[in-house]
Amino acid sequence: MTIAAELKVAASPSSNPSAHRVLEDRLTRLYGVGAPKLLARVDRALAQAAQARPEPLRALDAARQSDPHWISRSGETVYTFYVDRFAGDLQGLIDHLDYLQGLGVRWLHPLPLLKAREGESDGGFAVQDYGAVEPALGDMATLERLAAELRARDMGLLLDVVCNHTAREHDWAVKARAGDPHFRAYYRLVTDASEVTRWEEDLVDVFPDTAPGNFTYDADLKAWVWTTFYPFQWDLDYSNPDVFLEMLDILLHLANKGVQGFRLDSAPFLWKRAGTNSRNQPETYAIVEAFRAALEIAAPSVLLLAEAIESLDDVLPFFGVSSAACSLAYNNGVMTALWAALADQDVGIVNRMLGAAAQRPDHGAWLNYVRCHDDLIWNALAQYVSADDLQRWSRFYDGGGFSDGRRFQTAPGGVPSTNGMAAALVGIGKPGVDQTLARSRLSLLYGVIHALDGWPLIYMGDELAMGNDVAFLDDPARAKEGRWLHRPDMDWALAASAEAGGTGSEVLDTIRLYGRAAQALNAAGVAGRAIPIHLSAGVLGFERRGGQPFLCLANFTEEAQTVTLLAPYDAPGRDRLTGRDIPSGPLTLAPYELIWWSVVG
C-alpha cells in the first residue's frame, strides 16, 4: 500500500466504525431526514481534519488509545486562570511553565482566549472569531507553540470553546443583521412579541440583576434574538444542521493546533424547547455525544469537559446517555457541599453528594475543585437539602462567620450565590479570624479534592492564598460584574517569596505536596470511586474502591475529633501525606486535620 493510500485509510471515518455508527445515529435523532446530507458533509470534514493532523498529535492519539483508562489516573492536576491576569499574554504563559510544572500541574485550562468583542465581553465569553486569539494575548502561532511546549513536558492544553452563543459582532451575526437568510437561521430569532412572552414564562434568568430576560430586540434583524446571558451574546440554533457542522469544524481546527481538550461552555443551553426551561434537553446530550463520536474518528486523544453547573441528575448525562460523551465534568455538587460542611462543621451533605457522584460511568472522571472564576451556586444543592439550609449557607458566606465573601445575583425565588476567592471564603486576612485555622481550612479543602477520584483543579492564586480583588469596583468596565472579586492579577512577588520559603510558602508547599501524593497513588495501586464512610458528624471519611485500601479522613471542625475505624482500616496504617505511622484503635484528628490512610508498606 502506498503512503498516500495509507493516509486515505487512516483519514476515513469508516476506520472507526463504532464511532461512526454513534455519529450517524445521533445526527439522525437530531436532524431526521436531513441527517444523511449532513453526515456526508461531516464525513468530508473529518477526513480532511484527519489527513491534516500533525504527526506528533497522531502519536498522542495512538498512545491514549492504547491506554483506555488514562482518564482515571490520579493527580492529573488542572490549573485554571485568565491569561492576561496570570501572565500578560501567551508568551508570558510559556515563560511561567516552570512554575506550573513545579506545582505538579499536568493540564492548563486558560479561560476564554479566542478573539472576543471589544468592550464588555463577559470575561471573554462573547467570542467574535473562533479562529483567532485575542490580539492582546498573542496569535494562533503562539498558541500552537504553547501547545507544543506543553506536550514536550507531558502536559496538556484545555481550551474554552463557547458553543452556545457568539458575540453579536461575530461574522455570522453581522451577516444575519445584514439580512442574509442563511445566517439568520444560525440564531434563535422571534418576530412576535407574544411568542417572546410565552417562552419567558418557562425560562429562568441567569443574570436577573445585570441582564434580565432571555431575549433582546435587534432593530437590524427586526426580531428578538435569544440571549440567555447578556444582550451581546446571541444563542446559536442547533436545530439548524449548519450550526452543528460549523462548531464541529471549530473543534477540529483547534484540535489540530494542539489543543488536547475542550471545555464546552454553557453546554446545558444548546437546545431550546417550548414549555421547558430549555436546559439539559435530550437533544443537548445527543449533540455532545455526536461531537465526541466525531472526535473519536479524527482526533481521538482530545477530551471534552462539560461546563454544566447544574443538579447532579442533569450533569451525569453529559458523560453520555447511551454512548460516551464528555470525559470530564465539574463535580459541582461535591464542591458546593464542601463549603456547606465547613460552615456547619457537619459533613452530612458531603456524604450525600459523594454517594450521588459515585454514579458516574467508568469512562468519565470528575473535575474536582474548590473555586473557579464563577460564583458558588447554592441552588445546585436544592434537590438534596431544604431551602433554609441553602439560605443559611448563602448568608454565612456573605461576610458572615469566618467568611469574607459577597452575595451574587440569583433568579427570583432562588438563593443568592457567593463570590470570593477561596482564601477569603475561609477567612484568611479577615480581622478577628484565627489565621492558623483559616489556613488549615484552605489546606483541608484542597487535600480532599486531591484525594477524590478524578482530576483536581487549582484556581489561580489559591496556591498562594491570594485574597479578593476589591479594586475591580474602581474599574468602570468591571464594576457591575461581581465575579471580578475573585479574578485578581497574579501576585508574582508573592509567588517568588513563597518559592523562596517566605510569605505564602506554607500553602504553596502544601498544595505541591498534595499533587505529588495524588500522582503517587497510581503506582501504589489506589484506584476507584470515592465512597463515603459515615464516621461522625464532623469527620469526613471516604475510601477509594478499586485497588489497594485507601481512606481519606478530614476533620471539618475547629475541635479535635476522635473516630473509630472499621476493617480494613482498623489495622496499623500510614499517612501518605506525612509518612507517619497510624496505630490501630481509635484515632484522634486535630482541628481541620487531614489524613490519607493507606496500608503499611
Side-chain angles (χ1 to χ4, degrees):
M1 183 180 290
T2 65
I3 294 177
E6 289 176 352
L7 282 174
K8 184 175 181 180
V9 170
S12 171
S14 60
S15 63
N16 190 331
S18 60
H20 196 261
R21 283 194 296 271
V22 171
L23 178 61
E24 182 177 7
D25 177 79
R26 300 309 180 270
L27 295 183
T28 300
R29 291 188 198 179
L30 291 165
Y31 303 111
V33 295
K37 182 177 179 181
L38 173 61
L39 183 63
R41 297 167 67 198
V42 168
D43 282 347
R44 288 194 294 273
L46 294 178
Q48 291 169 1
Q51 285 184 318
R53 192 149 172 80
E55 183 55 40
L57 300 180
R58 290 174 183 262
L60 185 62
D61 293 338
R64 290 195 176 147
Q65 286 179 303
S66 69
D67 181 15
H69 302 296
W70 73 272
I71 196 76
S72 299
R73 291 195 300 249
S74 294
E76 292 290 314
T77 304
V78 181
Y79 193 86
T80 186
F81 55 95
Y82 284 98
V83 173
D84 57 338
R85 307 192 78 73
F86 178 72
D89 57 19
L90 289 176
Q91 183 56 54
L93 177 55
I94 293 172
D95 294 341
H96 285 298
L97 289 182
D98 286 346
Y99 170 82
L100 294 169
Q101 195 166 21
L103 192 57
V105 171
R106 299 293 301 275
W107 293 82
L108 266 62
H109 172 211
L111 289 153
L113 55 74
L114 299 178
K115 180 174 172 49
R117 71 189 299 267
E118 293 184 4
E120 189 177 2
S121 66
D122 188 21
F125 286 96
V127 178
Q128 182 175 339
D129 186 351
Y130 293 94
V133 170
E134 182 65 33
L137 302 180
D139 54 25
M140 195 58 70
T142 312
L143 183 68
E144 286 189 85
R145 194 160 63 249
L146 168 64
E149 178 63 29
L150 289 172
R151 285 197 308 277
R153 295 170 180 254
D154 194 25
M155 299 168 72
L157 178 63
L158 279 168
L159 197 66
D160 249 301
V161 170
V162 184
C163 53
N164 175 70
H165 49 265
T166 73
R168 72 186 301 272
E169 291 78 12
H170 192 284
D171 187 56
W172 303 337
V174 171
K175 290 177 179 177
R177 292 191 348 253
D180 187 325
H182 176 76
F183 289 100
R184 282 179 65 94
Y186 276 36
Y187 297 95
R188 297 289 308 211
L189 305 181
V190 177
T191 57
D192 185 343
S194 63
E195 184 179 348
V196 170
T197 300
R198 288 195 297 272
W199 279 106
E200 289 282 15
E201 289 175 353
D202 298 299
L203 302 177
V204 177
D205 290 356
V206 176
F207 299 130
D209 294 348
T210 54
N214 290 270
F215 290 86
T216 300
Y217 186 78
D218 186 273
D220 292 330
L221 292 172
K222 296 181 176 59
W224 286 264
V225 61
W226 198 307
T227 53
T228 295
F229 297 95
Y230 286 101
F232 50 78
Q233 291 168 302
W234 289 12
D235 283 37
L236 293 163
D237 185 356
Y238 274 87
S239 68
N240 179 350
D242 289 335
V243 170
F244 176 88
L245 183 59
E246 292 274 19
M247 195 57 61
L248 177 60
D249 278 339
I250 289 164
L251 297 177
L252 294 172
H253 172 74
L254 293 170
N256 278 0
K257 297 296 183 182
V259 177
Q260 295 185 34
F262 298 106
R263 175 184 180 270
L264 300 179
D265 176 69
S266 304
F269 300 88
L270 297 184
W271 198 270
K272 324 299 188 191
R273 172 171 283 109
T276 75
N277 64 2
S278 293
R279 295 165 77 154
N280 307 301
Q281 297 299 303
E283 292 86 353
T284 292
Y285 303 126
I287 290 167
V288 178
E289 288 178 356
F291 283 152
R292 172 72 270 158
L295 288 170
E296 285 292 335
I297 294 168
S301 63
V302 173
L303 59 85
L304 297 177
L305 163 62
E307 193 270 322
I309 311 305
E310 306 280 317
S311 68
L312 193 71
D313 287 347
D314 290 325
V315 173
L316 285 169
F318 278 103
F319 286 120
V321 177
S322 51
S323 67
C326 290
S327 301
L328 294 170
Y330 286 89
N331 202 351
N332 175 64
V334 169
M335 178 277 293
T336 312
L338 291 172
W339 287 106
L342 270 187
D344 287 353
Q345 300 189 63
D346 187 314
V347 300
I349 180 59
V350 183
N351 287 330
R352 290 196 290 276
M353 297 313 300
L354 284 177
Q359 299 173 45
R360 65 158 178 84
D362 290 340
H363 66 259
W366 289 114
L367 186 62
N368 300 306
Y369 64 119
V370 172
R371 286 297 291 116
C372 69
H373 68 290
D374 271 333
D375 45 314
L376 203 168
I377 302 174
W378 299 107
N379 291 322
L381 296 179
Q383 71 183 89
Y384 294 93
V385 297
S386 69
D388 289 342
D389 288 330
L390 301 179
Q391 290 286 359
R392 184 178 69 257
W393 296 329
S394 176
R395 288 193 298 268
F396 183 94
Y397 285 103
D398 183 18
F402 52 68
S403 171
D404 196 20
R406 296 291 181 269
R407 76 188 301 276
F408 191 49
Q409 58 191 299
T410 189
V415 176
S417 299
T418 299
N419 289 330
M421 291 288 286
L425 297 184
V426 300
I428 293 176
K430 184 176 181 179
V433 173
D434 184 308
Q435 293 300 290
T436 298
L437 292 178
R439 287 191 295 273
S440 296
R441 283 189 284 265
L442 182 61
S443 296
L444 181 80
L445 293 175
Y446 267 97
V448 167
I449 68 163
H450 278 78
L452 290 169
D453 59 299
W455 294 16
L457 179 143
I458 300 170
Y459 184 59
M460 187 204 85
D462 281 359
E463 76 277 14
L464 301 173
M466 287 174 53
N468 290 337
D469 180 19
V470 296
F472 85 95
L473 291 168
D474 299 325
D475 181 354
R478 296 185 294 148
K480 294 181 180 180
E481 172 53 81
R483 290 174 296 176
W484 284 108
L485 183 69
H486 49 261
R487 300 173 183 177
D489 285 323
M490 182 63 171
D491 189 339
W492 285 110
L494 179 59
S497 169
E499 291 198 290
T503 303
S505 61
E506 181 178 347
V507 176
L508 179 65
D509 290 346
T510 298
I511 291 184
R512 282 175 168 172
L513 168 64
Y514 292 154
R516 293 193 300 271
Q519 290 181 13
L521 294 178
N522 299 306
V526 174
R529 290 165 172 75
I531 305 298
I533 296 178
H534 299 263
L535 297 170
S536 73
V539 176
L540 175 66
F542 60 84
E543 60 181 339
R544 296 280 300 278
R545 294 183 181 175
Q548 289 296 313
F550 173 86
L551 176 67
C552 178
L553 298 167
N555 181 2
F556 271 70
T557 78
E558 297 181 357
E559 306 292 336
Q561 301 286 323
T562 300
V563 295
T564 299
L565 305 181
L566 300 177
Y569 309 109
D570 57 347
R574 179 165 295 148
D575 182 9
R576 298 193 67 87
L577 297 175
T578 64
R580 69 182 176 93
D581 290 330
I582 303 172
S584 59
L587 180 63
T588 299
L589 288 84
Y592 299 119
E593 184 177 4
L594 178 75
I595 293 174
W596 288 13
W597 187 102
S598 67
V599 293
V600 176

